[in-house]
Amino acid sequence: MSSKKEMIQKMIEMQKKFMEYEHANGVDPKDYFKPESGHELDGYREEYMKLAMTVVDMAHKEVGSEPA
């Protein structure tokens, strides 16, 4: 899997694309939480959450702590 730094960079890129989309189109909660297949936000939340949780787990492992 990618390094923590690469994952964080991907998350930042995803955030930038999301903000560009939001500024251009606005975001209907339905499109964010339950987008239709093929929608620009389809899979965004799930992919971002997976990356974020992996980064958190890696950070805990680095410092020897356990997630709450």
Side-chain angles (χ1 to χ4, degrees), residues 3-64:
S3 72
K4 184 172 73 169
K5 184 177 179 178
E6 291 170 330
M7 285 187 255
I8 292 170
Q9 185 59 42
K10 175 148 174 101
M11 291 169 63
I12 291 169
E13 290 170 13
M14 289 176 71
Q15 288 173 340
K16 286 179 183 177
K17 287 180 183 178
F18 179 86
M19 288 186 299
E20 288 171 3
Y21 177 85
E22 181 182 27
H23 290 153
N25 306 294
V27 176
D28 185 310
K30 179 188 91 46
D31 293 333
Y32 181 74
F33 290 103
K34 284 289 220 179
E36 293 182 17
S37 181
H39 189 281
E40 202 163 338
L41 296 177
D42 187 19
Y44 172 83
R45 259 182 0 103
E46 295 81 4
E47 182 178 1
Y48 191 88
M49 181 62 74
K50 183 178 177 182
L51 285 167
M53 294 311 298
T54 301
V55 168
V56 166
D57 290 343
M58 292 170 92
H60 277 293
K61 194 174 202 177
E62 286 175 9
V63 298

